[in-house]
Amino acid sequence: MRVRVHRLESGEPPRGRDDAAEGLTYFSVRVTVENRGDRPFCIHVEDGQIDVRTGPDGESALIDWRNSQFIEGFDVYPLRRATAVLYAAGPEAALSQVDVQVQLRVDEEWAGRRLWAGGVGVHEGATGAPAGAGRDSLAQQVSVFLQEQAEEGTA
């Protein structure tokens, strides 16, 4: 199984804002699970299995459960994928640093936690560094680490 966090982008949720998100900026992130094995697996990516932190102090983001789309007991066949879409909100100034931790459940067994690091606007060079400088170093290292962990998990 391969877990990939991608398409972190700012934007309003489809069914309106949560009242608790007043003064916060919404963003969405996709969590895709790909079956690289040779048999189907039943997967779960539900509330409580995803943790989102923002800013340098790792403050918890507000997760909008009503707008988010989870994966609940879905059979993913070999070479197929399933994607969860998570809507969250946090202070706009903290969104340049976002950490997403996912703990997948496969066939009623818990997999190891996977951590992804990135940020809204990182690809735009918003920090004053050359475009992509932070992403090419830290995010690339995290991506390589996660790929290695995923490959070890399927072996």
Side-chain angles (χ1 to χ4, degrees):
M1 300 300 277
R2 176 182 180 212
V3 178
R4 184 170 58 114
V5 176
H6 57 108
R7 285 185 54 185
L8 175 68
E9 52 195 21
S10 61
E12 292 295 313
R15 292 183 208 103
R17 297 176 63 90
D18 185 318
D19 293 340
E22 186 173 333
L24 301 176
T25 301
Y26 263 96
F27 61 95
S28 65
V29 64
R30 294 177 180 270
V31 177
T32 299
V33 179
E34 181 179 1
N35 184 349
R36 292 186 167 187
D38 56 0
R39 69 177 186 89
F41 291 99
C42 180
I43 63 167
H44 302 267
V45 179
E46 303 169 308
D47 56 343
Q49 291 174 247
I50 301 174
D51 190 14
V52 180
R53 303 284 168 164
T54 62
D57 293 328
E59 295 288 330
S60 182
L62 172 88
I63 298 176
D64 188 333
W65 303 114
R66 183 177 56 121
N67 280 295
S68 297
Q69 302 164 355
F70 297 101
I71 303 169
E72 300 177 26
F74 188 77
D75 292 328
V76 180
Y77 285 83
L79 304 177
R80 297 287 196 186
R81 319 179 168 130
T83 300
V85 179
L86 184 75
Y87 284 89
E92 186 171 2
L95 297 185
S96 64
Q97 186 172 344
V98 176
D99 300 323
V100 179
Q101 181 173 276
V102 179
Q103 185 169 23
L104 180 68
R105 199 169 80 205
V106 180
D107 287 340
E108 303 305 321
E109 297 288 327
W110 292 100
R113 290 185 179 99
R114 301 289 186 246
L115 178 67
W116 176 88
V120 174
V122 168
H123 62 280
E124 298 170 357
T127 61
R135 182 185 53 185
D136 290 339
S137 57
L138 177 61
Q140 185 175 8
Q141 290 173 21
V142 170
S143 179
V144 168
F145 172 77
L146 290 177
Q147 275 186 322
E148 290 170 355
Q149 293 296 312
E151 289 169 2
E152 286 176 20
T154 60

